[in-house]
Amino acid sequence: MFHTESDVVFVKGLKVEAVIGVYEWERAIMQPLLIDIALETDISRAAISDDVNDALNYKAVCDDVSEWCKAIKAQLLEHLAGQIADKLLAKYSCHKVTLSVAKPTAIKQADAVGVQITRYASASTDKKITKEADDSQADDA
């Protein structure tokens, strides 16, 4: 299903009604969205403990994504997907997010149209850690 070397918590086919689109008529209605989410994270602690408190809470992920879709009211799927991915990385313990957002009613001749994106946890955090380690080594010299 997923081609990854990491553990994945996923949501497939999350249905959300939200304002999305560039045309005036689209801004006046709610449209259905279908969202797939793959959060790469370490699930080993939950696998050993069998304790929900050690797991990434996919119910909370679904609730948050639904709320964010309704609040963002994006014009473009690209913008919505980027915003959701950034928020997921900021809120949940994961190092990579792959997300697809589809509009099933946008094109009559197609089952759905949409976008898929992949985002990684902030490289700036990694750079900060590396810089601090370099500074520490310089102080020792």
Side-chain angles (χ1 to χ4, degrees):
M1 179 183 226
F2 299 105
H3 302 285
T4 178
E5 294 179 13
S6 298
D7 301 334
V8 175
V9 173
F10 71 92
V11 175
K12 184 166 180 57
L14 178 65
K15 296 169 183 70
V16 179
E17 294 277 330
V19 172
I20 184 82
V22 297
Y23 301 110
E24 190 173 318
W25 66 267
E26 289 181 297
R27 308 304 297 161
I29 64 169
M30 302 283 270
Q31 295 186 67
L33 299 173
L34 293 175
I35 301 171
D36 293 337
I37 307 161
L39 303 159
E40 291 193 24
T41 186
D42 183 357
I43 67 167
S44 59
R45 189 171 182 183
I48 292 167
S49 72
D50 199 24
D51 185 341
V52 70
N53 294 312
D54 292 333
L56 195 152
N57 186 332
Y58 49 80
K59 168 79 165 88
V61 168
C62 291
D63 290 346
D64 284 340
V65 170
S66 296
E67 181 181 314
W68 296 333
C69 286
K70 292 172 185 175
I72 292 169
K73 297 182 181 178
Q75 292 185 46
L76 300 177
L77 289 175
E78 293 85 346
H79 178 74
L80 180 62
Q83 292 291 305
I84 293 169
D86 289 346
K87 289 175 181 298
L88 288 169
L89 287 167
K91 184 166 183 179
Y92 294 96
S93 178
C94 57
H95 56 272
K96 179 180 172 185
V97 172
T98 300
L99 173 81
S100 67
V101 182
K103 287 173 71 172
T105 59
I107 304 294
K108 190 175 194 176
Q109 301 85 350
D111 288 339
V113 296
V115 298
Q116 177 178 307
I117 65 170
T118 300
R119 297 291 183 267
Y120 297 86
S122 177
S124 63
T125 302
D126 296 337
K127 290 177 186 173
K128 181 180 178 187
I129 292 168
T130 302
K131 182 178 178 345
E132 287 171 356
D134 291 344
D135 291 347
S136 174
Q137 289 174 354
D139 291 342
D140 293 341

